């Protein structure tokens, strides 16, 4: 198994579970630090590792009238503020090759959105920064297709890679998760991440916005952790029904500490008796 060093953390399918968590869309420095502080405290209490996630841009939105994001400059300032105040690594999305270098100057992990996971120029530019790279598997890709994605990043000399499952398209406005994709991607040796909240989204399901079933996100998180993966990705908000993005599938912040505690209990059991393929 490959260990990916991210500041003082070691993310691996054999290391204690990492939570990648935060709001879908960055709103303000105070808001981000509030969420990061609560999650970091809960992770510290349960023995989990923590990485803050927030997006400065939301390029893939259902409606043109969706609430506007902070943008690159303001968003990076917020991420830097969280990194400095909370002391945790931070991750955010990049959507074009020219964003990679300036974003990597601030954040610890560049995230490749699912719809862009095969974009060669983007993968190469991200890899060349030397930052850790988290690639979300496209809803249209099989898990055994991901070694091709890995090879593109590795060609830059960068082997700090995470691979994320976020569900596969199933008919209209629906995603399903094949849990066997987690050990399949783990065959690469790289840490595997389960995106428990985007996997319960209903893309475009509300007509002018995406729907979701947030009550099922903890179900997927528990099931995924039982396979012995490296990390869980979960977006959260103190008032998801009024969040600017992905409210229907975000977990309520008040429920996160108990979920983290439960996931760590499962993680200890799973990694004490790992699945061997």
């Amino acid at each position: 198994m490959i260990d990916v060093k991210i500041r003082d953390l070691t993310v691996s399918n054999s290391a204690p579970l990492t939570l990648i968590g935060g709001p879908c869309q960055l709103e303000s420095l105070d808001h981000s630090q509030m969420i990061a502080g609560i999650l970091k405290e809960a992770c510290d209490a349960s023995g989990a590792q923590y990485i803050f996630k927030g997006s400065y841009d939301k390029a893939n939105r259902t409606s043109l009238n969706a609430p506007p994001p902070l943008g690159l400059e303001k968003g990076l300032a917020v991420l830097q503020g969280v990194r400095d105040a909370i002391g945790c690594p931070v991750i955010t999305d990049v959507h074009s090759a020219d964003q990679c270098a300036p974003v990597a100057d601030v954040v610890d992990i560049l995230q490749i959105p699912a719809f862009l996971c095969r974009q060669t120029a983007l993968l190469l530019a991200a890899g060349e920064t030397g930052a850790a790279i988290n690639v979300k598997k496209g809803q249209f890709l099989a898990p055994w297709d991901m070694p091709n994605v890995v090879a593109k990043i590795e060609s830059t000399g960068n082997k700090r890679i995470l691979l994320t499952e976020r569900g596969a398209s199933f008919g209209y406005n629906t995603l399903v998760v094949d849990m066997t994709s987690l050990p399949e991607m783990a065959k690469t040796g790289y840490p595997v991440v389960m995106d428990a909240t985007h996997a319960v989204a209903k893309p475009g399901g509300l007509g002018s916005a995406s729907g979701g079933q947030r009550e099922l996100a903890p179900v997927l998180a528990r099931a995924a952790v039982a396979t012995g993966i490296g990390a869980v990705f979960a977006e959260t908000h103190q008032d998801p029904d009024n969040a600017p993005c992905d409210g229907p599938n975000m977990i309520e912040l008040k429920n996160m500490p108990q979920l983290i505690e439960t996931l760590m209990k499962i993680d200890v059991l799973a990694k004490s008796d790992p699945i061997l393929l």
Side-chain angles (χ1 to χ4, degrees), residues 18-49:
T18 298
L19 173 72
I20 301 173
C24 175
Q25 185 170 310
L26 293 170
E27 298 177 35
S28 69
L29 177 57
D30 288 346
H31 182 256
S32 296
Q33 288 181 341
M34 179 272 291
I35 291 179
I38 290 172
L39 295 181
K40 178 69 161 57
E41 182 179 0
C43 286
D44 287 347
S46 64
Q49 304 184 100

